[in-house]
């Protein structure tokens, strides 16, 4: 007799049908008998084995729990640090681009031309200030020459103002020459640059 039960448990084939009918009439007897079958014993052993393996895995997981939690926290901190570095790199790239922009040859050439004009105006202010008697030196009118004062013997002697005036003139000459020297240096570089005689190296 071939039934689904016999197909599932081949060892039942050795028992007569009447025995199997009586066996199925009692659920308690059926359950007790089934656990004596080799197939069920093998299945139970496999289940028990899987249970032991699961217990071992659970035990190992518990032993690794603290380490895994520490690793998770460390990973989270490393990720946060990496994200911070990414944001910082964006700022660095912006600053680098801005710095590169301010040091590009075209921008530096523009700055040189502006400084040339500014230096020319500065030297003109020095000259105008001296002519108007408002130089940065002693407050002695720079455009006025005082006459010498006669002494008791009837001869002329220079007064203190002459010495101060000469000092103011010397200071003006030095200041004006320095300003114009700077101007002409910048003018020469600007002219050479305009002619393409100035080369920039990336290194």
């Amino acid at each position: 007799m071939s039934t689904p039960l016999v197909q599932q448990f081949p060892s039942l084939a050795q028992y007569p049908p009447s025995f199997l009918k009586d066996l199925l009439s009692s659920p308690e007897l059926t359950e007790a008998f089934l656990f004596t079958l080799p197939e069920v014993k093998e299945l139970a052993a496999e289940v028990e084995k899987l249970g032991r393996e699961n217990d071992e895995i659970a035990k190992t997981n518990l032993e690794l729990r603290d380490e895994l939690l520490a690793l998770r926290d460390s990973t989270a901190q490393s990720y946060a640090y990496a994200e911070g570095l990414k944001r910082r790199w964006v700022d660095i790239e912006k600053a680098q681009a801005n710095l590169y922009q301010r040091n590009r040859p075209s921008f530096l050439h523009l700055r040189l031309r502006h400084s040339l004009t500014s230096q020319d105006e500065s030297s003109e202010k020095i000259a105008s200030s001296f002519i108007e008697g408002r130089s940065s030196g002693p407050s002695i009118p720079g455009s006025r020459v005082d006459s010498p004062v006669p002494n008791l013997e009837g001869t002329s002697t220079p007064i203190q103002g002459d010495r101060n005036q000469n000092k103011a003139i010397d200071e003006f000459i030095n200041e004006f020459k320095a300003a114009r020297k700077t101007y002409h240096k910048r003018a020469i570089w600007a002219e050479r640059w305009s002619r393409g005689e100035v080369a920039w190296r990336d290194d």
Side-chain angles (χ1 to χ4, degrees), residues 85-113:
L85 289 180
K86 284 175 60 178
R87 292 190 296 269
R88 183 182 175 192
W89 177 247
V90 172
D91 295 336
I92 291 176
E93 280 189 323
K94 290 181 180 178
Q96 185 180 28
N98 184 46
L99 182 62
Y100 179 74
Q101 176 66 27
R102 290 189 289 112
N103 288 277
R104 291 181 62 184
S106 58
F107 184 76
L108 293 176
H109 185 221
L110 181 63
R111 287 183 59 187
L112 177 61
R113 296 185 65 85

Side-chain angles (χ1 to χ4, degrees), residues 68-87:
L68 292 175
L69 290 176
L71 181 60
R72 184 186 65 182
D73 293 340
S74 176
T75 302
Q77 293 176 5
S78 298
Y79 179 78
Y81 180 70
E83 288 296 312
L85 289 180
K86 284 175 60 178
R87 292 190 296 269

Side-chain angles (χ1 to χ4, degrees), residues 181-192:
K181 182 179 180 180
T182 300
Y183 168 80
H184 286 297
K185 282 184 176 180
R186 294 178 181 177
I188 291 172
W189 277 110
E191 183 180 356
R192 289 180 178 177

Side-chain angles (χ1 to χ4, degrees), residues 130-166:
F130 178 77
I131 293 173
E132 295 172 3
R134 293 184 284 105
S135 65
S136 58
S139 57
I140 300 298
S143 59
R144 180 171 59 86
V145 178
D146 296 326
S147 300
V149 177
N151 58 19
L152 295 177
E153 288 77 17
T155 60
S156 298
T157 58
I159 63 173
Q160 181 67 27
D162 292 331
R163 288 192 293 270
N164 291 340
Q165 189 177 47
N166 290 336

Side-chain angles (χ1 to χ4, degrees), residues 27-96:
E28 294 81 2
L29 184 60
T30 301
E31 183 178 355
F33 179 76
L34 286 177
F35 277 99
T36 64
L37 297 177
E39 297 90 339
V40 176
K41 289 181 178 180
E42 184 179 352
L43 181 60
E46 184 67 23
V47 171
E48 185 177 357
K49 178 183 177 183
L50 292 175
R52 288 195 303 269
E53 292 177 352
N54 287 336
D55 288 341
E56 291 296 327
I57 293 174
K59 183 179 178 181
T60 302
N61 288 340
L62 288 175
E63 292 174 352
L64 295 175
R65 179 177 180 274
D66 293 339
E67 182 179 350
L68 292 175
L69 290 176
L71 181 60
R72 184 186 65 182
D73 293 340
S74 176
T75 302
Q77 293 176 5
S78 298
Y79 179 78
Y81 180 70
E83 288 296 312
L85 289 180
K86 284 175 60 178
R87 292 190 296 269
R88 183 182 175 192
W89 177 247
V90 172
D91 295 336
I92 291 176
E93 280 189 323
K94 290 181 180 178
Q96 185 180 28

